[in-house]
Amino acid sequence: MASVKPSVPKGMRDFSPAEMVKRNYIFDTIKSVFRKFGYQQIETPTMENSATLMGKYGDEGDRLIFKVLNSGDYLSKAQPEWLGSTNAKLTNHISEKALRYDLTVPFARYVVQHQNDITFPFKRFQVQPVWRADRPQKGRYREFYQCDADVVGSNSLLNEAEFILIYDEALSKLGLTNFTIKINNRKILAGIAEIIGKPELIVDMTVAIDKLDKIGLDGVVNELLTKGFTREDIDRLEPVILLQGANAEKLEKLKTILSASETGLKGIAELETILSYLQSFTLIKATVEVDITLARGLNYYTGAIFEVKTNETVMGSIGGGGRYDDLTGMFGLKGLTGAGISFGADRIYDVLEELKLFPEASNQTTRVLICPFDAAGETYALPLLQQLRTASINAELYPAGAKIKKQLDYANNKNIPYVVVIGSDEVQSGQLTLKNMQTGEQQKLSADNILAVVK
RNA sequence: GUAGGUAUAGCUCAGUUGGUUAGAGCAUCGGUUUGUGGUACCGAGGGUCGUCGGUUCGAGCCCGAUUACUUACCCCA
């Protein structure tokens, strides 16, 4: 067979042992916080039926879904007219499955499919990879992990307040000290579009004002003009998007501006309720900021929306979420409300790496390496090896036959702190040589004493 | 979908206005040291210079195409 240059597909990555230790540290931290707030873990399959996914993320989203080719000789069943039609239609015939694009839609499917077995409100979390056929760039991959927590069947705004507490606790535990949880409400955005008199352009409006801190006011104005807004519309919009002040202050001003919009006022009231819940709790490190320009792309959000940004480094958002009133409606279950949040674990990894926030000890896995000089030493070492493991000490035995130099190199590269050297002297005397790899000190000890020292 | 950048050893990269046998560091293996690592010294293996074509007496270098990777935009975690 011809040798193939080893490589992985675009936007996808291998993870080394050292990286996995750090990744698991992030996942474990987030999961433990989810559990603390009463969320239970589920998993869903890597692939969903295309029909489950398609149409849930907008046209742009559909384009970014990885489709999986049918098995078997699908072309033999092909009809001639398929080839003449659009790409999308042909795809429907030769691909019935697709890789999951996020965790929320599969979760909605799960809830509807298992509704009879679920006690509501149902609080679940899920940590799995998702795939997007996007152009990769910094902080964007084609395969990446999401850590989602969602609750369905409860319209209480306490859930939203708790999401903020979850963000605060998890990110603080990971060592971040300066991050902002931005909060907005889709109803407020709808109210603004209503007041301007262009409710049908709400999506274009939110996409444009979302870019305020990126392209500035002039950029936003230009984009709005190309999307069909007039000068007068923008004049009315400008005071809203430039709103300054403390959260309560912003909401008071908004009440005046949106006084004619019932929807808008409802959105404001919701935010006020969430903020009042938070007054009974103490946040560890997070700053909560009402940000009217926060939009979020997904079109199924209907109430509160969140986005988390770190202020210590340049990085896109590291988390987001919101409330969606009718996600399960797409699968035939009406009237079930839900809300959820997501952590972008891969981006959090990049941030912790950049800020050097990973704990130092996390790159040790094996605690003791036994280095035998010969086969006799190896045999002699076996009972000690088991004793160490029985005592819950991570231990390994370097197979006999290699030079000691090579064995110590191995211990070095794996960051193993203790080495036990066993040669003919040790076998004869029963006094084994224990070497501390950090200090270089050696001492002769019995097997029992070694256990006590390395413990 | 749009616009740039890059492609030379396992990895990170040098390589002069186009000139003879393409280099370094790291990594690997061996040795100095037959029972002791991280430092030092000596040595070895490893490259059809992404691919195809063109210009030229001569191309790693110039030109064209192509593929892959990458950055930014759109969109998004």
Side-chain angles (χ1 to χ4, degrees), chain A residues 328-340:
Chain A
T328 57
M330 293 165 175
F331 301 106
L333 183 59
K334 300 280 183 197
L336 199 57
T337 182

Side-chain angles (χ1 to χ4, degrees), chain A residues 269-287:
Chain A
E270 286 181 13
L271 284 191
E272 283 180 333
T273 307
I274 295 168
L275 292 176
S276 75
Y277 271 124
L278 286 176
Q279 282 175 357
S280 302
F281 296 98
T282 308
L283 291 174
I284 306 168
K285 296 286 184 190
T287 307

Side-chain angles (χ1 to χ4, degrees), chain A residues 389-420:
Chain A
R389 290 174 178 160
T390 302
S392 293
I393 296 165
N394 297 350
E396 55 184 313
L397 171 66
Y398 200 104
K403 292 184 173 173
I404 282 299
K405 176 174 160 55
K406 192 168 162 58
Q407 301 191 34
L408 292 177
D409 269 335
Y410 177 84
N412 257 339
N413 288 332
K414 275 186 92 170
N415 240 327
I416 298 173
Y418 290 104
V419 157
V420 177

Side-chain angles (χ1 to χ4, degrees), chain A residues 9-13 15 23 64 66 130-145 315 344-351:
Chain A
K10 190 198 304 197
M12 304 192 175
R13 300 159 295 161
F15 298 114
R23 288 174 65 83
L64 299 181
F66 274 108
V130 303
W131 291 267
R132 296 188 186 176
D134 208 353
R135 289 278 167 87
Q137 46 191 272
K138 187 177 169 65
R140 294 177 68 169
Y141 309 100
R142 288 187 148 188
E143 178 182 51
F144 61 96
Y145 274 72
M315 177 61 72
D346 300 84
R347 285 191 175 172
I348 291 172
Y349 182 101
D350 292 346
V351 170

Side-chain angles (χ1 to χ4, degrees), chain A residues 226-395:
Chain A
T226 66
K227 296 290 183 184
F229 286 87
T230 64
R231 269 286 162 199
E232 295 79 64
D233 296 339
I234 294 167
D235 287 343
R236 263 178 290 180
L237 188 56
E238 217 178 283
V240 179
I241 61 180
L242 293 179
L243 210 55
Q244 294 292 324
N247 292 335
E249 231 174 293
K250 283 183 184 170
L251 291 176
E252 280 307 319
K253 287 182 190 161
L254 265 182
K255 271 187 201 163
T256 322
I257 300 170
L258 295 181
S259 56
S261 167
E262 200 182 316
T263 311
L265 289 177
K266 188 148 188 266
I268 295 169
E270 286 181 13
L271 284 191
E272 283 180 333
T273 307
I274 295 168
L275 292 176
S276 75
Y277 271 124
L278 286 176
Q279 282 175 357
S280 302
F281 296 98
T282 308
L283 291 174
I284 306 168
K285 296 286 184 190
T287 307
V288 177
E289 182 192 334
V290 172
D291 183 355
I292 301 305
T293 68
L294 171 62
R296 306 223 12 105
L298 296 175
N299 31 28
Y300 49 66
Y301 291 120
T302 52
I305 45 185
F306 309 104
E307 186 158 287
V308 187
K309 281 194 165 150
T310 166
N311 303 319
E312 292 165 279
T313 175
V314 181
M315 177 61 72
S317 72
I318 55 175
R323 177 167 291 272
Y324 38 86
D325 276 335
D326 196 31
L327 192 68
T328 57
M330 293 165 175
F331 301 106
L333 183 59
K334 300 280 183 197
L336 199 57
T337 182
I341 55 167
S342 179
F343 286 83
D346 300 84
R347 285 191 175 172
I348 291 172
Y349 182 101
D350 292 346
V351 170
L352 296 193
E353 192 71 80
E354 196 178 327
L355 300 177
K356 302 196 188 327
L357 291 177
F358 284 110
E360 195 53 51
S362 61
N363 53 9
Q364 287 178 10
T365 49
T366 298
R367 186 134 181 94
V368 183
L369 177 72
I370 306 180
C371 301
F373 275 96
D374 47 30
E378 182 184 272
T379 307
Y380 188 86
L382 296 177
L384 172 63
L385 183 63
Q386 184 162 40
Q387 278 179 53
L388 286 164
R389 290 174 178 160
T390 302
S392 293
I393 296 165
N394 297 350

Side-chain angles (χ1 to χ4, degrees), chain A residues 104-120:
Chain A
T104 309
V105 168
F107 171 57
R109 192 224 81 226
Y110 178 96
V111 168
V112 177
Q113 191 172 331
H114 301 281
Q115 52 185 290
N116 294 334
D117 307 316
I118 292 175
T119 307
F120 294 101

Side-chain angles (χ1 to χ4, degrees), chain A residues 69-79 82 93-95:
Chain A
L69 221 45
N70 289 349
S71 326
D73 190 6
Y74 50 85
L75 275 186
S76 68
K77 302 173 201 153
Q79 302 297 313
W82 297 354
H93 285 104
I94 64 176
S95 161

